[in-house]
Amino acid sequence: MKLVIENQLVTLKVLRQAWLEPVEVEISADARRRIAEANELVNEVVAGGKQVYGVNTGFGQLASVRINNHELAHLQENLVRSHSVGVGRDLGDEIVRLVMLMKVIALAEGFSGVRPELVEALCALINHEIYPRIPSQGSVGASGDLAPLAHMSGVLLGLGEAKVKGQILPASEALAGAGLVPLKLAPKEGLALLNGTQVSTALALAAVFRCENSLSAALVAGAMSSDAIKGSDTPFDRRIQNVRGHGGQIAVASVLRELMRGSEIRASHEHCERVQDPYSIRCQPQVMGACLDVLRHVCKVLQTEANAVTDNPLVFTDTQAVLSGGNFHAEPVALAADYLALAIAEIGALSERRIALLIDSHLSGLPAFLVKDGGLNSGFMMAQVTAVALASENKSLAHPASVDSLPTSANQEDHVSMSTFAARRLHDMLDNIVNIVAIELLAAAQGIGFHHPQQPSALLAGVIDAIRGLSPPYDTDRSLSSDIALVAQLIDGGYFCQYAASVLPAHNG
């Protein structure tokens, strides 16, 4: 994908593609003009001797310390060096690519005061697939994602390390291999690079994209479980959804109806004596629809943030003003991530309840634990225990991160958002639910098999074929660990999005 950064909204669909694969980026002529005009104003401020935070002063608690003009470049380089204190596992290349792309988007707006050459150097890293090594821990998401963005910025200066085609190299060697030379920073440029919410936002965006994969798979699994227990599709009737009016609920019910349309299993018990199904079957539109509405809200917040200018101070050429504010505070991202955590936990919780239903012969009407010769065989007994363990972990991980603020920088930064952790922990939760839903897909496929020769809908039959290509029917006890892993990879790879694409916000905007 080739992307020209202009003064227009970069959509979630484009950002999702940049997350999935390398992208070629350049800034438009108009963007270059805006950047240059703001940089000219910064140079005028420096020449005029006016004291401006971060341009010719220290940082944080040291903002009152005036820096001599001949030391301004050194000041910016020191900022990058001193703030490169991240720890923990490295962020994945796909996350780093999103971080750099969103930093380019922000700087290209022309409110940061940097040189066009700096933005073009960042584009060059993206285009040559040079991905700075960025440790995942160390940001509180308040004065921007300072530590991780410092590690990103260091590579521009030839500092630190980078990954090139999976190989870790010294930054200077990675640059030289692409025919690039290290930059020398000009006034304000280090601060413009380090201030910003791009790391938190990239982690949250990647979680949104993965959540769409998991939600789609959970809808398919829910439809399969409904057929496996000979459940009713009446609760998915559009009239029921319409009188409540929630958009997510209406959309989810529509997907479920389509997935079950033409099922021979459903037709076989149209007039059975069962009055109602358990909530995990009957209330899927209400629960999963609410989760979809959360996802849609989070997408709106993150699309705004992905296109936002979040460094400080900001340069306004129309009024010849350099203003210090707090756009670097990532509270919007933190709250959105916390909200999404609740939805992720609920997707997994509902899926686990359906697994429990499937293995309970008293409620499902299926063989106990979904296996013949129960007693000799334990079937899906322990697979459900694994799902319970993962669902329970997610309950703890769903605790909001944004309510936990500790002051930093000698109380100058006395409230922080914890957005980086709020977004990062979503991936642990998503790792859990892809496995929970994988277990349900295996269990539901096993349950449907007991109704042979009656068939599910054509759509669900196709899903079962895909599952059976990875995992044969469970005839006698064996380890399901590798089967679960393979189906989880199918989920996380987005296979099931084809069945719910019309309702997924990041796929459509």
Side-chain angles (χ1 to χ4, degrees):
M1 181 175 65
K2 184 171 183 178
L3 185 59
V4 178
I5 304 300
E6 303 179 275
N7 189 21
Q8 62 187 38
L9 189 75
V10 178
T11 66
L12 290 183
K13 190 173 183 179
V14 169
L15 292 168
R16 185 177 183 276
Q17 196 63 30
W19 171 69
L20 286 171
E21 62 184 14
V23 58
E24 186 177 338
V25 185
E26 65 180 67
I27 55 173
S28 69
D30 190 47
R32 202 179 199 284
R33 177 190 55 77
R34 292 195 305 271
I35 296 166
E37 288 175 355
N39 176 245
E40 184 178 344
L41 180 54
V42 168
N43 292 335
E44 290 173 2
V45 166
V46 171
K50 183 179 179 182
Q51 183 168 319
V52 177
Y53 171 72
V55 176
N56 50 18
T57 74
F59 307 101
Q61 185 75 4
L62 303 175
S64 60
V65 178
R66 179 67 180 264
I67 309 298
N68 292 328
N69 282 8
H70 71 275
E71 294 182 313
L72 296 186
H74 191 200
L75 169 71
Q76 299 299 316
E77 184 175 324
N78 277 352
L79 179 68
V80 174
R81 289 179 181 275
S82 67
H83 283 54
S84 297
V85 291
V87 298
R89 291 178 297 178
D90 290 346
L91 297 177
D93 290 351
E94 72 284 355
I95 301 293
V96 175
R97 186 165 56 243
L98 273 180
V99 171
M100 292 194 291
L101 174 58
M102 288 188 290
K103 180 57 76 173
V104 169
I105 292 168
L107 296 178
E109 291 289 331
F111 296 101
S112 301
V114 303
R115 294 167 297 160
E117 291 82 358
L118 176 69
V119 187
E120 289 167 343
L122 202 49
C123 290
L125 292 187
I126 298 171
N127 296 342
H128 286 93
E129 298 179 43
I130 299 171
Y131 301 118
R133 281 190 75 183
I134 301 179
S136 58
Q137 294 173 278
S139 174
V140 296
S143 192
D145 289 313
L146 293 171
L149 287 173
H151 286 277
M152 178 203 77
S153 305
V155 172
L156 291 170
L157 312 184
L159 305 173
E161 294 178 318
K163 297 179 193 173
V164 181
K165 293 181 169 53
Q167 185 180 2
I168 297 174
L169 300 173
S172 56
E173 188 177 327
L175 293 175
L180 305 174
V181 296
L183 278 180
K184 293 290 184 182
L185 294 179
K188 194 187 176 297
E189 289 185 337
L191 191 59
L193 287 167
L194 269 59
N195 270 166
T197 65
Q198 286 80 26
V199 175
S200 299
T201 306
L203 284 163
L205 278 171
V208 161
F209 304 147
R210 292 186 65 199
C211 188
E212 288 194 333
N213 296 342
S214 298
L215 184 142
S216 301
L219 291 178
V220 173
M224 289 173 60
S225 292
S226 297
D227 246 2
I229 69 157
K230 291 193 170 182
S232 173
D233 58 358
T234 298
F236 310 150
D237 190 293
R238 64 170 53 86
R239 291 167 292 184
I240 296 173
Q241 326 312 321
N242 289 346
V243 296
R244 195 173 195 187
H246 291 294
Q249 178 180 334
I250 292 168
V252 162
S254 176
V255 171
L256 291 170
R257 287 195 305 271
E258 186 61 29
L259 285 168
M260 296 184 70
R261 191 184 309 280
S263 168
E264 294 176 6
I265 299 172
R266 174 64 185 117
S268 73
H269 60 96
E270 286 276 1
H271 307 293
C272 67
E273 295 181 357
R274 185 188 297 171
V275 178
Q276 290 183 327
D277 296 317
Y279 287 1
S280 60
I281 298 293
R282 190 183 355 147
C283 297
Q284 289 182 77
Q286 290 76 15
V287 178
M288 296 295 285
C291 293
L292 177 58
D293 281 336
V294 169
L295 186 61
R296 287 171 168 176
H297 169 75
V298 170
C299 280
K300 290 178 182 177
V301 173
L302 295 181
Q303 179 160 290
T304 298
E305 194 71 8
N307 288 274
V309 180
T310 54
D311 64 287
N312 183 66
L314 297 177
V315 180
F316 297 90
T317 57
D318 56 344
T319 56
Q320 297 291 290
V322 181
L323 305 179
S324 186
N327 278 3
F328 48 65
H329 199 296
E331 192 78 0
V333 180
L335 291 174
D338 282 344
Y339 198 17
L340 185 58
L342 299 178
I344 292 170
E346 285 295 87
I347 292 168
L350 198 68
S351 179
E352 183 282 319
R353 287 292 79 205
R354 290 192 299 264
I355 299 167
L357 172 61
L358 288 165
I359 66 173
D360 187 337
S361 60
H362 299 291
L363 292 174
S364 68
L366 297 166
F369 301 107
L370 300 172
V371 71
K372 298 174 183 177
D373 300 323
L376 176 62
N377 292 306
S378 296
F380 279 72
M381 181 188 296
M382 287 307 298
Q384 188 259 341
V385 173
T386 296
V388 167
L390 299 177
S392 186
E393 279 188 21
N394 276 358
K395 292 178 186 178
S396 296
L397 289 169
H399 184 279
S402 57
V403 298
D404 185 15
S405 173
L406 288 173
T408 63
S409 193
N411 280 306
Q412 175 75 6
E413 297 154 7
D414 58 352
H415 181 275
V416 302
S417 73
M418 294 308 300
S419 59
T420 324
F421 170 66
R424 178 165 49 83
R425 65 73 145 84
L426 296 176
H427 294 275
D428 293 330
M429 299 181 71
L430 287 159
D431 289 344
N432 287 338
I433 69 163
V434 295
N435 284 303
I436 295 170
V437 177
I439 293 169
E440 185 187 359
L441 286 164
L442 289 167
Q446 180 78 0
I448 287 174
F450 288 114
H451 298 307
H452 186 78
Q454 294 169 351
Q455 294 294 313
S457 69
L459 287 176
L460 294 185
V463 171
I464 293 171
D465 286 344
I467 292 170
R468 287 289 169 250
L470 303 172
S471 172
Y474 194 102
D475 296 324
T476 188
D477 276 349
R478 69 175 195 270
S479 171
L480 274 176
S481 184
S482 60
D483 303 59
I484 294 167
L486 288 171
V487 177
Q489 289 173 16
L490 199 66
I491 295 169
D492 221 14
Y495 172 82
F496 294 93
C497 289
Q498 62 184 302
Y499 299 102
S502 64
V503 305
L504 302 177
H507 274 68
N508 298 297

